[in-house]
Amino acid sequence: MPLLSFLLYVFVTSFTPGPNNIMAMLFANKFGLKKTIRFCLGVGAGFFVIMLLSSYFNLLLENFIPKIQFVMTILGAAYMLYLAIKIIMSKDNGKDNDGGKNNSFLTGMLLQFINPKGILYGITAISTFILPYHHSNFSLILYSLFLAFVGFMSTFCWSVFGSVFQKFLSKYRSQFNIIMALLLVYSAVSILVDI
């Protein structure tokens, strides 16, 4: 497994702005860290379920269509390049206006089932980095736990740094986006070189 590429992909995809991170940051700004932790735990729990489902979905595809691994690797790399372009092209939309009514464990968990970034992240990470090297139930559960923990940590970090991180992003947004996009391009190229 190209470990560096895997970790870079996980880091960039988890810690860049997305629905989980933005909501966690906004909830922490409005309600404080203590009241936002339950949302972050819900995100982690939902992410674990999505990662498990992605693992077994990809495994099912690979078992029934053995040639799918090559195609999934190409699609995974293409999706990473697409994300890199989206990150570079993203603009600051200002503050999201959420009423704050949904700062709960259940909301954090259910958000994962309608979060396209999280679902595509799971399918891509599992098919590109994990299944070519690991197939046991134990491995799939461990990797799902690891990815869910990273998902929890990213939302928690955005909560902790709330307004500080928001100010940093608004001040250095383009530089941050370029660095994150280049890391994704590196990850995509390195997995293409390995096939």
Side-chain angles (χ1 to χ4, degrees):
M1 171 193 293
L3 187 60
L4 179 61
S5 296
F6 171 67
L7 293 176
L8 282 172
Y9 175 72
V10 168
F11 173 79
V12 170
T13 308
S14 297
F15 284 85
T16 52
N20 299 332
N21 296 336
I22 299 297
M23 288 179 71
M25 181 178 63
L26 291 173
F27 287 152
N29 283 338
K30 287 183 179 183
F31 307 112
L33 179 62
K34 188 175 179 181
K35 291 183 179 178
T36 305
I37 290 176
R38 61 183 179 226
F39 174 80
C40 296
L41 289 170
V43 167
F47 224 65
F48 176 68
V49 172
I50 293 296
M51 294 306 110
L52 274 180
L53 291 173
S54 294
S55 295
Y56 289 104
F57 173 74
N58 279 307
L59 193 58
L60 183 71
L61 281 178
E62 188 178 83
N63 287 337
F64 284 108
I65 311 168
K67 303 288 182 200
I68 195 96
Q69 181 180 337
F70 177 76
V71 173
M72 292 302 283
T73 301
I74 298 295
L75 289 175
Y79 178 65
M80 284 185 237
L81 293 173
Y82 167 76
L83 281 178
I85 292 167
K86 292 292 282 180
I87 288 170
I88 284 180
M89 305 293 265
S90 70
K91 303 267 190 267
D92 186 10
N93 297 333
K95 291 206 177 229
D96 291 343
N97 50 4
D98 180 86
K101 302 171 192 166
N102 298 315
N103 187 18
S104 69
F105 178 89
L106 186 60
T107 300
M109 184 170 180
L110 293 178
L111 176 63
Q112 303 323 298
F113 294 92
I114 59 168
N115 178 1
K117 180 184 173 189
I119 293 168
L120 289 172
Y121 164 74
I123 291 171
T124 304
I126 302 293
S127 67
T128 306
F129 294 107
I130 297 169
L131 282 183
Y133 308 97
H134 305 281
H135 287 85
S136 73
N137 286 330
F138 182 72
S139 293
L140 295 178
I141 290 170
L142 275 181
Y143 278 109
S144 294
L145 279 170
F146 172 72
L147 294 171
F149 178 73
V150 172
F152 164 77
M153 288 306 298
S154 71
T155 56
F156 184 73
C157 286
W158 277 72
S159 297
V160 168
F161 296 111
S163 62
V164 174
F165 203 48
Q166 188 177 28
K167 288 177 186 175
F168 172 81
L169 277 180
S170 65
K171 188 173 181 181
Y172 299 106
R173 183 174 192 85
S174 62
Q175 295 92 335
F176 177 78
N177 287 351
I178 289 169
I179 290 169
M180 292 296 129
L182 289 174
L183 289 173
L184 273 178
V185 169
Y186 170 79
S187 294
V189 169
S190 68
I191 64 164
L192 289 174
V193 168
D194 283 345
I195 58 172

